[in-house]
Amino acid sequence: KQTFEVEVGESLQELQAKLYSLTQVPIERQKLLYRGRQLKKDGDLAKVKPSGKLMMMGSADELKAPTKKYVFEEDLSASEKVQLTKENVAGLNNLGNTCYMNSTVQCLRFIPELKASIQKYTSDPAGSGDMHSKMLILMGDMFNRLDKATEPFTPMAFVNIFRTAFPQFAQRGKSGMYMQQDADECLMTFMRVAGSQLSPKYGLDPNSKENVVKQLFGFKISRTLKCAEEGDDEVKTKEDSLDKLTCHIDEKTNFLVQGIEKSLDEVVELKSSKLNRNASFKQTTRLKTLPKYLVVQFVRFYWKKELGKKCKMLRKVKFPMKLDVESFCETPLRKSITARRMKDKEARDKELGLDSLQVVDKKAKLDPEKSDSMEVENTIQPSETTGFYQLFGVVTHKGRDADAGHYIGWVHDKDEDWSKYDDEKVSPCKEEDILALCGGGDWHTAYMCYYKRLDEMPPPPKKKGKK
């Protein structure tokens, strides 16, 4: 027998619901009595005095033990954690300072076109069979195993053949341990191997004249050299190709764009045929084409003569989630990108019910001198791409020494969700954690940024909060 204090109110059903929450006696089993008489309708509650006592009879529901077993995260094994979180989160075991390789592999395996090309190559019986071929096949096998793995994978076969093919990555220190290596050198080596094996037939465009690596990462540039000294006014222009951009860092570099601009506009010393001696030349580099995937390296390591080793520049350099490369492009490409953006803006304005063409006409009437230039701009063929790139991967380095420290890979999942690949340990993180990798201290600092070209602008993110 138990006693409860409740407000009777005016509704019998509400009173029964309150009693059910207190006693677990279902409403259909409740029998309420006041002064010996049963309460059957709302009107009967009017007879109950404020300090009156009610009696309820009925049997409560039997309490059952939980049918589902709950386990805390800290009690799970590594494989169980992977299964409960998401796919594609398997890590790589470290085989002696191979974090530089592990972090690079984790970023590369999230490039679907590269994985598909390696898969085609692996299935082709006409492979060359040399060491580079075996290395590429093992890389494809490693990608497949990581995609399916529920626990960390040990890439022993791949690491062994990589170190055999490229002995510089098999160097050992005085203690006999394998030495730390450079993640950028590792990436460039991977690209050379893949480029030598993945002919156009393994890519998205079998009719292309370029191998798969060039199709994905390569881009054409124009270089203009102009002597900065009197007596030589010759201007030289030549075309070349690159697989990445670099971000030069000095005491004035605060943003990635500034560092890239420094690398594209620099002064070099060359032999002047007119002056018959070395002279200073201003070298201007501009992009003629835009790659599907753009890799940017932060030039953080430099040789310090007094210490006799490569040291690291810790300066804070912010990088964007969305990189605008329009200003890095040659004039024709830049104008084509501008035309594309105007076309996209007109389409968006039309969707919103705005007439952007009328706005342009009004501006032309206000400034007739600009109307002719507008007509010329309208004749330019819009680019197939937007000139924007979206960040999807970052390789960071922690430490002050190039020959030591630790590399980690960070890869975008969806929305603001990212994954942190610290060798065999994989953990979730957010976009704000990625933006904090800009340097300025001994924390993990961005060293390589992987961007994907945006041929179509994604829809704006939905605003959070109350509707």
Side-chain angles (χ1 to χ4, degrees), residues 194-340:
S196 68
Q197 302 297 315
L198 297 177
S199 60
K201 70 176 184 177
Y202 299 111
L204 297 176
D205 184 8
N207 298 320
S208 174
K209 295 180 180 180
E210 297 180 324
N211 63 54
V212 172
V213 172
K214 291 293 183 183
Q215 289 182 37
L216 296 177
F217 300 97
F219 53 98
K220 295 178 181 179
I221 61 168
S222 65
R223 279 203 176 103
T224 302
L225 286 167
K226 184 176 181 181
C227 187
E229 300 181 20
E230 292 184 5
D232 187 352
D233 55 359
E234 183 182 1
V235 177
K236 298 179 181 179
T237 302
K238 67 172 184 177
E239 291 189 4
D240 203 346
S241 62
L242 295 175
D243 294 323
K244 67 175 180 179
L245 287 178
T246 54
C247 171
H248 287 188
I249 303 173
D250 59 24
E251 67 278 0
K252 294 182 180 179
T253 308
N254 297 311
F255 300 95
L256 177 67
V257 171
Q258 293 176 327
I260 294 176
E261 289 173 346
K262 291 178 189 296
S263 69
L264 297 178
D265 298 323
E266 57 183 344
V267 176
V268 296
E269 187 175 298
L270 298 171
K271 180 71 177 289
S272 169
S273 57
K274 286 189 176 182
L275 299 177
N276 197 27
R277 61 175 173 81
N278 286 347
S280 296
F281 283 79
K282 182 179 180 182
Q283 178 175 272
T284 303
T285 305
R286 291 294 179 266
L287 280 62
K288 293 176 67 68
T289 61
L290 298 180
K292 191 170 184 65
Y293 293 93
L294 178 64
V295 179
V296 183
Q297 178 204 3
F298 292 77
V299 185
R300 290 194 173 275
F301 298 121
Y302 63 99
W303 182 259
K304 200 161 186 177
K305 189 175 181 180
E306 54 268 31
L307 295 179
K309 65 178 182 179
K310 289 170 69 177
C311 295
K312 181 179 175 183
M313 191 173 291
L314 300 174
R315 184 174 179 81
K316 185 176 184 179
V317 180
K318 296 182 178 180
F319 55 90
M321 286 289 168
K322 194 180 276 101
L323 177 64
D324 185 354
V325 300
E326 182 187 15
S327 62
F328 310 149
C329 298
E330 197 179 42
T331 300
L333 178 56
R334 191 171 67 248
K335 288 184 176 181
S336 179
I337 291 173
T338 301
R340 165 62 187 270

